[in-house]
Amino acid sequence: NIFYSLHIDKNGVTIAEDTELVGKWNYDVMDTVSKKYGKNLAVLSIGPAGENLIRFAMISGDGGHVAAHNGMGAVMGSKKLKAIVVARGKAVFPISDKAAVEKLTRDLHEDAKTKGSKRIYELGTGGGLSAAALGGWLPVKNYTTNLFPEHEKLDGKYLRSHFKMKDNPCWACQLRHCKICEVTEGPYKGFVGEEPEYEGLAAWGSVIGNSDPGAAVMLNSFNDQMGMDTNEAGWVVGWVMECFEKGVFTKKDLDGLDMTWGNAEGAKEILKRIAHREGIGNLLAEGVKRASEKIGGEAAKWAIYAQTGAAPRGHDHRARWCEMLDTCASNISTIEATRGGVFPERMGYPPVFDKFSPWEVAMINAKENGWLQFLDCLGICSFTAPNRELTVKCTNAVTGWNLDMKEAVHIGRRIVNLLRVFNFRHGHNPKLEKPSIRYGSVPVDGPVKGRGIGPYFEFMVRVYREMMGWDPETGRPLPQTLKSLDLEELIEKF
């Protein structure tokens, strides 16, 4: 079984056969490549999941910095590409106003630390887990309940006050929210791994009914090593555990595994089997939508996913309607306009009045869409740039441009509509822009008990499409919309 590594350095681009990397876990790939090719390298790799074309395989960058959604690891695996190795270069690029950039970046970092990303700076993204539990948007036991009284033990505040932490920041990042942690208590005492982000804590904590933070650290690390999207993997395991509890899967069906709620070792073993397509893992490797449809019956109704194919991020979106609408109606099978909710006040609009208003949610999602795409174009982390006005000023200082906020969002809207046209040209079915049965169900308990999005969802999609300048029936961008975005050449092409 032959795999290759692609190398980018001052001499250009080369491809090398790297048989010794086959089967290696992501962190081992990084170590092996560094020993073989030298230091000062950035390494992007796939784990066993990518090699075996797991539909939700991810790409790991320098360890735990991952590009996880939509199966990009499987794309690398299909091309027999195990790793991409980039040498640090010495090239410089021109800056229009260096003094302004230095001042504005200091202001931007200070704003992030003290305002927009304050909690992330102090406690990591996991510092929001208890708030999620209290707000009703922490996913618990595959959406069978909204109650998780043990949430404080999984919150970032607990991890950072009980486990040993060491900074592990992204390159040159002053927010420094990424940490390496050593578990200091419980059955996994002594285990060292990356501190899980919020979604890792949710996936390997509340989603599977586990309240041991050490187990969550272990499972998060193991899943990264295997090379799978932690969100989809968590929903898969949570669905299996519900099926096991209700008798759809027996130990015999699961090759002897005990998949009771909270069984961390059972979760670890089934992740390994998924990554290698062994036994039941071959079915689960197709993702929760396809696996549940294959099993059929009542079990098919318990799976959590958008009908377009992928599972959502690690929240209970029944309490965050903006993100459920965004996930189902986006062009990228995950949130496109929202991140941790919506913040219209950062664009000069009034703040959210009623997060459960079908009209308001659809309208604000449409108004917000475009900013995150512009931010991605800059190649920077959204955690470090919550202040949009300062971000645009920084962009102008670097480039010499004179963008305002409206023009920045215009750039992002071009990308959104390009993606939309691309998807339609490749067979997108707008009728699938809706949640699965369980995903769109009504919470039976907790802070949002009895509040269901179902009766309003079709209306919300229509309003959202209209506000985006798309046909409300088909979801296709209207000719006048494409023209307003200087995309006239696409009008006749889909």
Side-chain angles (χ1 to χ4, degrees):
N1 198 8
I2 300 174
F3 274 80
Y4 301 87
S5 57
L6 184 148
H7 298 258
I8 304 172
D9 56 31
K10 64 182 181 181
N11 298 316
V13 180
T14 57
I15 296 176
E17 183 179 319
D18 257 323
T19 315
E20 63 191 291
L21 298 179
V22 177
K24 286 189 178 295
W25 298 4
N26 273 316
Y27 295 174
D28 294 336
V29 172
M30 185 174 64
D31 291 342
T32 302
V33 167
S34 297
K35 291 175 182 177
K36 184 174 181 179
Y37 297 106
K39 298 180 179 180
N40 294 323
L41 301 171
V43 182
L44 300 172
S45 65
I46 59 173
E51 293 182 26
N52 293 305
L53 308 186
I54 309 312
R55 282 188 180 269
F56 46 98
M58 58 81 158
I59 300 171
S60 176
D62 295 332
H65 299 84
V66 304
H69 221 67
N70 294 324
M72 288 181 283
V75 175
M76 280 183 62
S78 71
K79 301 178 184 302
K80 298 294 184 181
L81 182 60
K82 180 70 176 181
I84 300 171
V85 183
V86 184
R88 178 177 293 179
K90 297 181 179 179
V92 296
F93 57 90
I95 296 176
S96 178
D97 189 340
K98 188 174 181 180
V101 170
E102 290 177 351
K103 179 185 184 305
L104 287 166
T105 52
R106 284 196 300 270
D107 293 344
L108 191 62
H109 283 304
E110 188 62 25
D111 180 89
K113 291 177 181 178
T114 60
K115 296 178 183 177
S117 296
K118 184 175 186 292
R119 184 167 60 187
I120 293 172
Y121 173 62
E122 294 174 348
L123 298 172
T125 58
L129 190 137
S130 283
L134 297 173
W137 44 272
L138 180 70
V140 185
K141 290 186 175 181
N142 202 43
Y143 279 25
T144 58
T145 178
N146 276 96
L147 303 177
F148 195 68
E150 308 92 340
H151 61 83
E152 289 184 354
K153 285 203 70 175
L154 286 173
D155 188 78
K157 184 176 181 180
Y158 185 92
L159 267 68
R160 294 202 172 182
S161 60
H162 287 73
F163 293 172
K164 294 180 181 178
M165 294 288 173
K166 179 182 178 181
D167 283 349
N168 186 39
C170 300
W171 185 80
C173 179
Q174 295 183 36
L175 203 60
R176 306 176 74 84
H177 91 276
C178 296
K179 310 286 184 184
I180 296 294
C181 71
E182 179 183 341
V183 178
T184 58
E185 60 189 33
Y188 297 97
K189 182 178 180 179
F191 183 88
V192 177
E194 271 207 314
E195 177 192 31
E197 301 283 355
Y198 159 81
E199 292 177 4
L201 291 170
W204 308 119
S206 57
V207 168
I208 66 168
N210 164 52
S211 59
D212 175 20
V217 173
M218 180 276 293
L219 286 171
N220 183 75
S221 179
F222 184 77
N223 185 71
D224 280 357
Q225 291 274 36
M226 292 294 100
M228 293 180 283
D229 172 21
T230 200
N231 288 311
E232 183 91 33
W235 295 120
V236 168
V237 175
W239 174 73
V240 169
M241 287 181 168
E242 183 176 352
C243 288
F244 186 76
E245 177 188 50
K246 295 178 177 177
V248 174
F249 289 147
T250 65
K251 279 190 175 182
K252 182 179 179 181
D253 298 322
L254 301 175
D255 307 316
L257 291 182
D258 177 1
M259 293 303 295
T260 51
W261 291 114
N263 186 338
E265 287 301 312
K268 179 181 179 181
E269 182 58 32
I270 208 163
L271 286 175
K272 182 179 179 181
R273 296 184 188 187
I274 293 171
H276 292 87
R277 287 188 176 271
E278 296 173 347
I280 190 70
N282 190 48
L283 169 67
L284 303 178
E286 295 300 298
V288 71
K289 179 180 188 292
R290 290 174 175 84
S292 65
E293 289 174 341
K294 181 73 172 179
I295 295 300
E298 287 297 306
K301 301 177 183 179
W302 306 333
I304 296 170
Y305 57 88
Q307 294 281 5
T308 46
R313 293 178 64 189
H315 308 101
D316 191 329
H317 286 162
R318 298 176 301 176
R320 295 179 89 164
W321 286 11
C322 63
E323 292 196 7
M324 183 178 289
L325 174 63
D326 196 8
T327 300
C328 294
S330 81
N331 302 301
I332 53 176
S333 297
T334 184
I335 60 172
E336 179 178 68
T338 62
R339 183 189 67 78
V342 286
F343 306 95
E345 63 274 17
R346 296 179 183 176
M347 296 291 289
Y349 300 118
V352 176
F353 177 73
D354 181 3
K355 66 179 183 178
F356 296 110
S357 163
W359 162 256
E360 187 176 7
V361 168
M363 177 189 66
I364 291 176
N365 271 27
K367 285 183 176 293
E368 283 277 273
N369 207 354
W371 172 256
L372 290 178
Q373 286 67 35
F374 171 74
L375 199 62
D376 285 346
C377 288
L378 303 180
I380 61 175
C381 171
S382 60
F383 294 160
T384 67
N387 188 311
R388 300 181 185 185
E389 183 178 356
L390 280 174
T391 301
V392 173
K393 287 182 178 180
C394 283
T395 304
N396 289 335
V398 171
T399 62
W401 298 342
N402 191 32
L403 295 175
D404 59 22
M405 191 78 71
K406 184 177 179 180
E407 290 168 323
V409 173
H410 180 86
I411 292 170
R413 299 281 278 218
R414 283 172 53 86
I415 297 168
V416 171
N417 282 271
L418 276 166
L419 286 168
R420 192 77 176 169
V421 171
F422 178 88
N423 286 351
F424 272 105
R425 288 179 65 182
H426 289 269
H428 174 64
N429 182 356
K431 293 181 180 180
L432 296 179
E433 293 183 341
K434 57 185 179 181
S436 67
I437 293 173
R438 176 63 66 76
Y439 187 24
S441 62
V442 180
V444 297
D445 53 26
V448 293
K449 177 182 178 180
R451 193 183 288 272
I453 197 173
Y456 314 107
F457 198 80
E458 185 176 342
F459 166 78
M460 293 168 69
V461 170
R462 287 182 62 88
V463 171
Y464 174 72
R465 289 172 177 172
E466 289 179 2
M467 295 291 292
M468 288 296 296
W470 302 340
D471 185 285
E473 292 290 338
T474 67
R476 291 171 177 262
L478 296 171
Q480 57 265 36
T481 300
L482 295 176
K483 187 175 181 180
S484 71
L485 294 168
D486 304 314
L487 297 173
E488 295 98 327
E489 71 274 14
L490 300 180
I491 292 174
E492 303 298 330
K493 293 186 177 180
F494 76 106

